Amino acid sequence: PPRPEERGSALLCGLAQVAVMAVELLIGAQIFYALAFHLFPWVLRLLGLIPTVLLMPAIGFALALLWLPIGLGSVILAKRLLIGRYTAGQHPVWGGVYLRHWLLAHLNLGVPWRLLGGTVFLNAALRMLGARIGPRVHIHGGVALGAWDLIDIGPDVSLGRDVALRSVDFRDQTMFLGPIRIGAGATLDTRAGVGHHTDIGAGACLAPLAL
C-alpha cells in the first residue's frame, strides 16, 4: 500500500498517552492499596507470618489466574472497539491508527500470557483475537504477536520460546502492518523473528536468533 500523506501529531498523541497512563496509575494505586493494606493483613492474621510467607507464591499464582480471564476479556473487547480488524497498510506514527494500536498493545501488557504458554488455551485465546491457527500447533511462552488478524499459522507448526512474529513494524515515522503466513509443519526456533509480508514455507525451519 502507498505511504500515507497525512502526518500524526506528536503533541496530541503524547497528551492522550499521558492521560491513559495517569488513569492507569490512579486505578493501579487503588488496587495496590487494597492488596497491601487490606488483603495481605487479613491473610496474615488468618494464617500467621510463616505460613503466609510460604504461601505467597501460591497466592500470587492464584491472583494471576483470577486476573487472566479479566485481562484477556478486556483486550478482546478493546480490540473490537478500537481496531475492529487489522488490515495490511501504512499509517503515520502519532496518528489515529497508531494511537489506537498503542492503547491496545498497552492494555495487552497486563495479560499474563506466560501462564498459557505451551497449552491449547493460548491457541484458543489468540484465535479469539483474530489469528488463524491450525490444529496441533505448539506455541511456547513469550511469543510476541502484533496485529493478530494478519497472522496465519498452518497445522503442526512449532514456535519456540520468545519467537517474534512482527506483523507490526516501525520505520521512518511510519507504522507498517503486513501479513505473516507460516506453512504446515514449519518450525521457528528460540528467539527467531519474522517480519511483515513474510511467507514461511511448509516444513521450513528458522534457526535460533535468525530473522
Side-chain angles (χ1 to χ4, degrees):
R3 182 168 180 167
E5 295 182 359
E6 71 273 13
R7 298 179 63 87
S9 171
L11 177 61
L12 294 178
C13 183
L15 290 174
Q17 290 171 320
V18 168
V20 169
M21 289 186 284
V23 171
E24 285 183 336
L25 179 62
L26 290 175
I27 296 175
Q30 295 299 320
I31 294 175
F32 178 80
Y33 182 87
L35 292 175
F37 295 99
H38 292 286
L39 180 62
F40 182 74
W42 177 78
V43 173
L44 196 61
R45 289 193 301 269
L46 182 67
L47 301 177
L49 177 60
I50 295 178
T52 299
V53 172
L54 294 176
L55 288 174
M56 283 304 292
I59 294 173
F61 181 73
L63 291 175
L65 282 180
L66 289 174
W67 172 251
L68 178 60
I70 300 173
L72 181 59
S74 52
V75 169
I76 294 173
L77 179 61
K79 178 180 178 290
R80 293 178 180 177
L81 295 176
L82 295 173
I83 301 293
R85 183 174 181 82
Y86 280 99
T87 56
Q90 299 182 24
H91 305 278
V93 169
W94 304 311
V97 175
Y98 166 84
L99 179 59
R100 296 198 302 273
H101 171 75
W102 179 88
L103 289 170
L104 184 59
H106 198 63
L107 188 61
N108 187 52
L109 292 175
V111 179
W113 285 106
R114 289 189 180 272
L115 290 179
L116 301 178
T119 70
V120 295
F121 303 109
L122 176 57
N123 298 6
L126 294 175
R127 289 187 186 105
M128 286 189 288
L129 286 166
R132 292 176 296 281
I133 301 176
R136 301 175 302 279
V137 170
H138 174 79
I139 302 178
H140 199 286
V143 171
L145 301 179
W148 299 280
D149 302 295
L150 299 174
I151 304 295
D152 189 347
I153 301 175
D156 302 307
V157 167
S158 179
L159 303 183
R161 181 176 181 179
D162 296 332
V163 164
L165 303 183
R166 298 186 179 94
S167 52
V168 181
D169 199 5
F170 299 91
R171 186 173 66 254
D172 298 331
Q173 296 190 5
T174 303
M175 182 175 73
F176 296 86
L177 300 172
I180 294 175
R181 195 188 77 84
I182 301 176
T187 299
L188 275 65
D189 217 322
T190 302
R191 295 186 178 179
V194 178
H196 55 85
H197 292 91
T198 300
D199 192 333
I200 301 294
C205 181
L206 196 60
L209 301 177
L211 175 63

